[in-house]
């Protein structure tokens, strides 16, 4: 991630994760993956203003779950998804006899 990360908790018990230097690309991916994790009741994001270059992710978690742990788990899952995509992409290119540097 490009910038500073700040985690706070709202009065309603929702975690607010502010990430500087990121936008919709990582926001959509991260919030979508967070929604699939056990202990995450809801996750969504917003980009407050397009000129701010700042992303906010909101997470409602079960009690006694550390938001940092869920962020790390989601990022690990994204990394695994990326590796799987890369593997399938390379296999398909080889099947098509296309020569590229990898």
């Amino acid at each position: 991630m490009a910038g500073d990360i700040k985690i706070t908790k709202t009065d309603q018990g929702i975690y607010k994760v502010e990430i500087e230097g990121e936008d919709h690309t990582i926001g959509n991916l991260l919030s979508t993956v967070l929604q699939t994790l056990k202990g995450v009741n809801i996750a969504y994001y917003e980009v407050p203003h397009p000129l701010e270059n700042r992303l906010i992710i909101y997470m409602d978690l079960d009690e006694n779950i550390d938001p940092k742990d869920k962020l790390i788990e989601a990022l690990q899952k994204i990394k695994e998804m990326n590796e799987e995509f890369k593997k399938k992409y390379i296999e398909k290119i080889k099947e098509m006899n296309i020569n590229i540097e990898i």
Side-chain angles (χ1 to χ4, degrees):
M1 294 185 184
D4 293 332
I5 299 175
K6 181 175 140 185
I7 301 174
T8 57
K9 194 171 185 180
T10 67
D11 293 338
Q12 296 80 21
I14 305 291
Y15 288 97
K16 181 178 173 182
V17 182
E18 296 183 61
I19 305 171
E20 295 292 331
E22 293 296 344
D23 59 15
H24 291 284
T25 305
I26 192 70
N28 186 35
L29 179 59
L30 191 52
S31 64
T32 300
V33 171
L34 280 165
Q35 291 175 38
T36 68
L37 302 180
K38 184 178 180 181
V40 177
N41 300 316
I42 190 167
Y44 60 97
Y45 80 98
E46 71 176 359
V47 174
H49 192 280
L51 297 178
E52 287 184 22
N53 201 24
R54 179 171 63 105
L55 163 71
I56 302 175
I57 295 185
Y58 298 93
M59 295 186 289
D60 179 28
L61 305 175
D62 289 344
E63 285 193 41
N64 301 321
I65 293 181
D66 186 345
K68 290 178 190 175
D69 291 342
K70 285 299 157 183
L71 287 171
I72 291 168
E73 186 179 347
L75 292 170
Q76 184 62 37
K77 189 170 181 178
I78 290 168
K79 182 178 176 184
E80 291 168 5
M81 291 166 50
N82 186 51
E83 289 298 320
E84 182 64 26
F85 175 80
K86 179 181 174 183
K87 179 182 168 188
K88 288 180 179 183
Y89 180 78
I90 292 170
E91 288 172 3
K92 193 63 167 175
I93 285 181
K94 287 180 180 178
E95 285 176 17
M96 297 173 69
N97 293 319
I98 298 173
N99 294 322
I100 63 166
E101 289 185 35
I102 302 171

